[in-house]
Structure formats: C-alpha cells, structure tokens
Amino acid sequence: MRKKRKSKKTDLVVPRPDETPDLAPGAIRQMQEIWLLLAKREWTSLVVLPAHASGSTKALACSLADIGTSLSDLPVSAVTVDALETGSARALASLAQDVRGRQKLLWPGEEVIEVAATPSTSPTRVEGDLLPSFGQLIIGVPSVVAEPVALAVAQAADAVVLGVELGTTKMRDLRRSIELIGRDRIAGCVLL
C-alpha cells in the first residue's frame, strides 16, 4: 500500500511596508552596513537563505529590502517563502532570472542604454538620459540543506547571502550549503 505524500504548503509572502519588522537602532546600522557592502557588488536579484535546515531568513530579507529602499535610488522588493516545492522553486528562479536579465544601465551622458529584449523583440536603444530602473529583488528561501530545490533559486540569482544563527547552525550544514551553492556565488554570511 502506498503512503499518501503530504503536500507542503508554500506561502509566497510579499511583505507590505507596514508588515516589515521594526529594527532596533543597532540592527538598523548593521543592515545598513550589509546593504552598503552588497552595493559594492553588481546585482539585481539576491537570494537570502539560512545555512541550517530549520532556519529562516524572512526577517533578514525584509529588513534588507527596507534598508535598500531607503539607501538606493532603485526600488527594492522582497519575496519570501517558508517552504518550496519544485513548481514554486522554478517560479522563483524564473523571477530571479527575469529581474536579473532586464537591463544594463549606463550612467547619464553615455550614449546608449540597453534594455533586455523579450523573445519577440529586440533590445531598446535609447540616447540620452537614464531610463527608469526595474529595481532589485531579494528572495528569501529555505535552506538548501533542508530543501535542495532552493538551489535552483540560488543559482538563478546574481548572488547569495547565507544566514548563520549562532548556537544553532552546525558547521557541517554551513559547509554543505557553501559546497552546494558554490563559494563564488556567495556574497557573504550574516550572523542572525
């Protein structure tokens, strides 16, 4: 007799501004430092995930989006999920790639700005001023140790930030996460 497979509930959460966590002044400063370090790297889509199986980076993703919105000229959005299945992982990976491939911006004064084409059109070339940007996207997903399909999302984004919880994250989980994601894809680790 076959056992029924329980379906995980996948909640896609796009936090509203009034739902994002309030940060203490010290935490705000830390998030600002993290954001400014990330700003040194060129990215449009970023995946934030915990290094240990039962962790969550939902608050980190939302806080980074809030800080990014206040420190950047570009809009910054956060999308978080508590669980992933193959279909939701593919959808988030597609979203990350879409944001990632949207455009290459040049500074004002340069001749051409290219906006990535959809399959049926060619790139748009614009002379002069900077086009409005599509912004940046932060995606919070479960650990790749607990849910390997999260790796598809991590690979589709420009960079990954690992959340490491002191006293909870095991070194073997951290090493495994780095091994699965690839050291070159990881922009950094944040102590939670």
Side-chain angles (χ1 to χ4, degrees):
M1 181 191 262
R2 288 180 112 176
K3 288 185 179 180
K4 279 189 176 180
R5 189 174 150 195
K6 286 187 178 181
S7 176
K8 291 182 187 177
K9 183 180 177 191
T10 303
D11 293 326
L12 178 67
V13 180
V14 180
R16 294 191 319 242
D18 58 337
E19 292 179 344
T20 54
D22 290 327
L23 297 174
I28 291 173
R29 182 183 165 138
Q30 289 174 339
M31 286 296 123
Q32 289 171 338
E33 288 175 9
I34 293 166
W35 179 262
L36 293 171
L37 287 171
L38 287 170
K40 290 180 180 180
R41 189 177 181 131
E42 195 173 312
W43 62 275
T44 54
S45 60
L46 176 76
V47 169
V48 180
L49 54 85
H52 68 285
S54 61
S56 173
T57 53
K58 185 176 186 175
L60 175 61
C62 294
S63 297
L64 277 174
D66 283 347
I67 295 297
T69 298
S70 68
L71 293 177
S72 176
D73 294 334
L74 305 174
V76 182
S77 302
V79 174
T80 64
V81 293
D82 295 324
L84 278 177
E85 292 179 349
T86 305
S88 57
R90 288 178 62 194
L92 286 173
S94 178
L95 179 62
Q97 286 177 333
D98 185 44
V99 170
R100 182 179 183 188
R102 283 277 175 104
Q103 65 183 6
K104 290 183 179 178
L105 295 176
L106 302 177
W107 294 104
E110 294 192 24
E111 294 179 17
V112 177
I113 298 172
E114 286 193 24
V115 178
T118 59
S120 61
T121 63
S122 60
T124 305
R125 293 173 121 19
V126 178
E127 303 279 336
D129 291 335
L130 192 64
L131 288 177
S133 175
F134 294 105
Q136 295 172 299
L137 177 65
I138 299 172
I139 303 172
V141 296
S143 169
V144 293
V145 173
E147 297 192 36
V149 293
L151 192 55
V153 184
Q155 290 173 339
D158 293 315
V160 175
V161 171
L162 283 174
V164 178
E165 206 168 322
L166 287 176
T168 305
T169 303
K170 293 182 170 76
M171 193 57 120
R172 71 171 183 261
D173 288 344
L174 179 59
R175 284 188 184 120
R176 184 68 179 148
S177 295
I178 292 169
E179 178 185 321
L180 288 169
I181 296 165
R183 191 177 298 270
D184 61 321
R185 309 236 351 107
I186 299 172
C189 293
V190 176
L191 293 177
L192 304 173

